[in-house]
Amino acid sequence: MAVSAVHLESDAFLVCMNHALSTEKEEVMGLCIGEAEPARIVHIHSVIILRRSDKRKDRVEISPEQLSAASTEAERLADMTGRPMRVVGWYHSHPHITVWPSHVDVRTQAMYQMLDQCFVGLIFSCFIEDKNTKTGRVLYTCFQSVQKGSEYERVEIPIHVVPREAIGKVCLESAVELPRILCQEEQDTYRKIHSLAHLDPVTKIHNGSVFTKNLCSQMSAVSGPLLQWLEDRLEQNKQSIVELQLEKERLLRELAAP
Amino acid sequence: MAASISGYTFSSVCYHSANSNSDHEGFLLGDVRQEETVSITDAQISAAELLQVVEIHNHDPCAQLFSFYDYAGKLNEENLNSILKDRRKNVIGWYRFRRNTQQQMSFREQIIHKQLTELLGVPDLVFLLFSFISTANSSTHALEYVLFRPSRKFNQRITLSIPNLGNTSQQEYKVSSVPNTSLNYTQVIKEHGAEFFDKDGVMKDIRTIFQVYSALQDKVQAVCGEVEESERVKEKIQEDVNKLKQQIALRKHKATEEERRLREAQNTDSHPTPEENTELSEASSLSRITFPTPSAPERPITSPNPPSYTDLLSQDDSLLSSSSPPTSAALLPRPQAVGSPGHPPPGPLGMGLGLGLGLGASSKPVATPSTPYLGNGDGSSSDSLDRQAAGQEDDEEDDDEDEDSSEYENLVSEAAHLPIASGSVLTQGRPAALGPDGDARGSQTT
């Protein structure tokens, strides 16, 4: 197989989880940015959250514009890290459904592989609950596609999450993009509706209220918790910095001692 | 009782756990509130039900295991206070992340929980257990979570929900108005409805709510910037600390070397000491310290799969020290589920049948005393010795988890994909920790 394993940095993993857990009513998706290393290992450094143009169930296709924007982002990351970065894969979520890729997913993956045989697919399955044991579950898998006759089949690719104690700048930026993307989607939809001229005032008020309601949902379900997490993380970091500083001083003293 | 945790807090726990090469634990901060639901039945006009809702706002990760309790599970209040500080009053529970374990509280966890309940004065303290399991080829991983309320005799498990955006359906927008020929209707709604719109014909509420959203997003960006700065500062100091530790270790190593040479010089007619072994163990303890620092992205050795269990068994056990910097998760083998080369199959229950069997059947995967892997049987890192004592109770409390095996079927693609354990694997001894009749118990044919 073209890819022997995928190494996913833990801060990129964090962003994927954030994104996957943001909604249980539809599939979310994004692109993975990283590099292909020797021994056919794909190393994912960060992810980009994408807007879904077609929100039908299990239709996760990336438009050329999005791919292009992602490539630009990859170039930016390449400049920052000094390493060759590019779009190396895609991820999407399967809320309430099995983690295995559907036939559509496998076909979509096969299509991307035609452009880049190292392209990998990740799926995050969440909001699964076993009512009997009250056990919740989150799963993630990595796959590629291989042609078998006229059909495509899934190939399992080992995936490992690589520890990264500090969250990278690019991952943080990706994480805070989510509320912005959601708002943009809402605005675009509203603009189309608003441009319809023949609506009476009551209908217009209704539509305006729907927009307000949806934006409120986004703020309370996404922006709010995101802000809370950022503040908590900041607090934790401040505390860690103090503790690390003390340890550093202690070690310096130990080193200075004969 | 119901419970909720934000997706961001949940992901954060997953993130901290992924960064840890052993078990990971911490405290849950939040609120418990009462929700009253009024229902009307034929029997009575209003039946008010009080629902307790546990809201987990945040988690406070512990930097290492045994930070507030000892090997016997005895709590140290002083350490607890220094970890929690003023967050102590917000603690509503604690959590533990283990790999390849059962969804049950271990004996030590129960003891700790009881003490925490008394010490913190929270009668309904909850315990969130995360267990992580992977397929044999590591292509699929599952994180299971259960919220326990051990203080209650019945209904100990609580459903944990993750509030989210839910339905972002934009189908609620109306694309056409209901046809109405009434002139009165048109006139009234036009006249009074005008209140809602500004001079451009845009609804005022739209502008207002967008302003709220914008302000919020600006704040998110600002705090994000601060977080990013703090991450870089933390990374830098961590790097410095690691370098200093390296230097100190190097100095100690040189001193030990020097001492040894002096001693050897004094023993003129003694045989050469097993130099190589000493050097190897010291070199490996040194190389342990020169692993990539946590601040830099971990670059695991370029092997597609983590080294197999048997490979690592031959290394010395220097990795057992909890003070080692977190090594790449990819380097350390995860005690794999049934069917992987590192583990004996569950015996009569067959091989490659499902990970549930891996949990229920051979409930304590191979964990020889010399294993370098920091997570073993019940997932705790340095537990192996205690488990031999406590393990007896655990085994007795084990439920046969065969009925759970169906839950894990979706982790197994086709049975053919899982490598069939070879005969040599079958000869790997089971640790005594399984119990006096280790093998019989391990096969769990109950």
Side-chain angles (χ1 to χ4, degrees), chain B residues 388 392 430-436 438:
Chain B
Q388 290 191 23
Q392 316 292 341
R430 301 238 180 143
L434 275 177

Side-chain angles (χ1 to χ4, degrees), chain B residues 312-345:
Chain B
L312 279 171
L313 281 177
S314 57
Q315 290 180 17
D316 74 347
D317 59 353
S318 57
L319 287 171
L320 271 173
S321 165
S322 58
S323 63
S324 69
T327 45
S328 161
L331 282 179
L332 297 173
R334 301 191 191 284
Q336 293 295 352
V338 172
S340 77
H343 284 267

Side-chain angles (χ1 to χ4, degrees), chain B residues 150-405:
Chain B
S151 58
R152 301 291 165 104
K153 242 181 142 80
F154 305 107
N155 294 328
Q156 282 202 346
R157 294 176 177 219
I158 313 168
T159 301
L160 183 65
S161 69
I162 304 176
N164 58 87
L165 203 48
N167 211 337
T168 55
S169 163
Q170 285 148 353
Q171 286 156 10
E172 289 169 329
Y173 286 110
K174 288 199 177 134
V175 293
S176 61
S177 304
V178 177
N180 198 316
T181 53
S182 155
L183 286 171
N184 280 323
Y185 178 76
T186 315
Q187 187 218 332
V188 168
I189 63 172
K190 190 171 172 192
E191 189 183 315
H192 293 275
E195 283 286 307
F196 282 87
F197 303 94
D198 63 17
K199 53 182 171 47
D200 298 324
V202 177
M203 245 188 88
K204 292 177 192 164
D205 279 357
I206 303 271
R207 292 207 207 272
T208 324
I209 199 66
F210 188 76
Q211 268 169 11
V212 177
Y213 158 79
S214 271
L216 191 55
Q217 186 63 15
D218 288 342
K219 187 59 84 172
V220 165
Q221 290 289 144
V223 178
C224 179
E226 287 178 65
V227 170
E228 209 271 309
E229 253 181 64
S230 68
E231 298 281 341
R232 303 289 78 84
V233 169
K234 190 177 84 161
E235 228 175 346
K236 177 79 183 45
I237 305 189
Q238 182 72 67
E239 229 177 88
D240 294 342
V241 162
N242 291 344
K243 279 196 189 123
L244 286 169
K245 281 186 178 161
Q246 240 177 298
Q247 287 178 309
I248 290 175
L250 192 62
R251 196 170 71 169
K252 278 191 184 143
H253 171 73
K254 282 187 181 155
T256 333
E257 271 292 303
E258 207 41 60
E259 225 171 280
R260 195 179 48 79
R261 283 201 194 103
L262 281 169
R263 259 188 286 121
E264 270 171 18
Q266 285 168 7
N267 307 331
T268 45
D269 59 346
S270 65
H271 289 291
T273 47
E275 259 181 65
E276 280 177 3
N277 287 345
T278 331
E279 269 173 5
L280 255 177
S281 65
E282 283 172 6
S284 65
S285 66
L286 190 62
S287 64
R288 170 169 54 82
I289 293 160
T290 57
F291 273 153
T293 60
S295 54
E298 289 287 333
R299 306 307 293 269
I301 48 176
T302 53
S303 66
N305 293 309
S308 78
Y309 216 60
T310 42
D311 287 345
L312 279 171
L313 281 177
S314 57
Q315 290 180 17
D316 74 347
D317 59 353
S318 57
L319 287 171
L320 271 173
S321 165
S322 58
S323 63
S324 69
T327 45
S328 161
L331 282 179
L332 297 173
R334 301 191 191 284
Q336 293 295 352
V338 172
S340 77
H343 284 267
L349 289 168
M351 296 175 266
L353 270 181
L355 294 168
L357 301 174
L359 288 191
S362 55
S363 56
K364 312 271 191 270
V366 174
T368 63
S370 65
T371 176
Y373 181 61
L374 293 171
N376 47 29
D378 76 8
S380 51
S381 60
S382 322
D383 254 0
S384 53
L385 292 173
D386 284 40
R387 271 195 314 108
Q388 290 191 23
Q392 316 292 341
E393 287 93 315
D394 274 357
D395 284 347
E396 255 128 48
E397 286 162 12
D398 277 350
D399 288 330
D400 193 324
E401 299 235 41
D402 274 356
E403 64 270 19
D404 287 346
S405 63

